[in-house]
Amino acid sequence: MRGCWARSICGDSETRIPVFFHRFYSASFTLFFRTHRVNRLLAGDGWSSPPEALERLKSQEIWFPPPQFYEFCRLCNFSSLHELHKFSWDRALEGCERWMPVMLTASDGFIQLLPGDELYPEDPDYTGEKKVVMSTDKKVEDLMKEGSVFHRIVIKSTNNLAVYVNIEAKYKHVNPVMRNSDGSDYNSRL
């Protein structure tokens, strides 16, 4: 595509994604930017800024899975493509952490736990062989009120996601901007 450039987020992060406990795959994300439209990226069937893409998710115009939701929230830290490009260039050699999200089923939703979260298991199942299922009878809101160290994505429904992070990012990275797709507010304790 003319007038576009790409930036790989691998080197920034790599997520190991479970496919309903049958197998796993590693995913890294590449973003494509149009140079003549500042700070806009392809989301669904059109070009959107990260905040616009999150609004389109909220209004159910588009859908993207939790890892991409996390990355869109992280992109909200940057007000311009130049700022994002500089950040990415400056930290390109810092390294990358492989994540294995662990799903916790609550009575009214799900929490995708990420490394550093207080509920994240010490030895996550990277291969799918252990078939570990984490569940609780508690509600998501109760788990959020009881917690103090967060690195998680709360999933209440397909288009109702929220990211909560109050740990320091590794490898000179940035944490995602705390976003709720439904307007609710959990106590993030930041």
Side-chain angles (χ1 to χ4, degrees):
M1 294 174 79
R2 282 177 79 194
C4 293
W5 60 275
R7 188 68 190 162
S8 174
I9 299 183
C10 183
D12 288 347
S13 65
E14 182 179 356
T15 305
R16 193 141 164 87
I17 301 175
V19 181
F20 298 105
F21 304 108
H22 297 295
R23 62 185 179 153
F24 298 86
Y25 61 93
S26 292
S28 59
F29 307 106
T30 301
L31 303 172
F32 292 92
F33 298 90
R34 289 173 49 171
T35 56
H36 65 278
R37 292 187 69 184
V38 177
N39 200 29
R40 301 179 76 78
L41 52 106
L42 186 62
D45 60 354
W47 293 91
S48 299
S49 68
E52 288 169 345
L54 292 169
E55 281 300 313
R56 291 180 68 199
L57 171 72
K58 177 182 176 181
S59 67
Q60 301 182 4
E61 290 176 50
I62 60 173
W63 177 82
F64 36 84
Q68 283 88 340
F69 176 76
Y70 186 97
E71 294 300 338
F72 274 93
C73 290
R74 191 158 33 185
L75 286 169
C76 288
N77 284 290
F78 306 99
S79 60
S80 69
L81 288 177
H82 174 74
E83 191 180 328
L84 173 62
H85 192 271
K86 181 179 178 347
F87 168 79
S88 186
W89 184 264
D90 289 347
R91 68 149 311 282
L93 300 177
E94 293 298 322
C96 168
E97 179 181 24
R98 179 177 281 186
W99 292 352
M100 176 62 206
V102 174
M103 192 67 77
L104 170 63
T105 304
S107 65
D108 63 341
F110 304 91
I111 299 177
Q112 197 171 72
L113 303 169
L114 300 168
D117 190 282
E118 65 189 7
L119 297 177
Y120 192 79
E122 282 187 37
D123 185 24
D125 183 10
Y126 288 106
T127 63
E129 294 171 0
K130 298 177 190 173
K131 300 195 188 312
V132 175
V133 177
M134 292 181 64
S135 64
T136 180
D137 292 331
K138 295 180 182 181
K139 292 185 175 189
V140 169
E141 185 174 1
D142 295 333
L143 291 166
M144 295 302 294
K145 287 178 181 176
E146 293 170 4
S148 62
V149 180
F150 298 144
H151 193 200
R152 57 182 69 169
I153 302 170
V154 173
I155 306 164
K156 291 235 178 170
S157 67
T158 305
N159 288 69
N160 187 345
L161 307 169
V163 62
Y164 297 95
V165 182
N166 63 5
I167 63 170
E168 187 173 334
K170 293 183 178 180
Y171 304 105
K172 296 184 182 178
H173 219 302
V174 295
N175 281 328
V177 173
M178 305 277 275
R179 292 277 180 159
N180 297 346
S181 64
D182 71 344
S184 67
D185 183 27
Y186 296 117
N187 182 5
S188 67
R189 301 199 176 115
L190 285 178

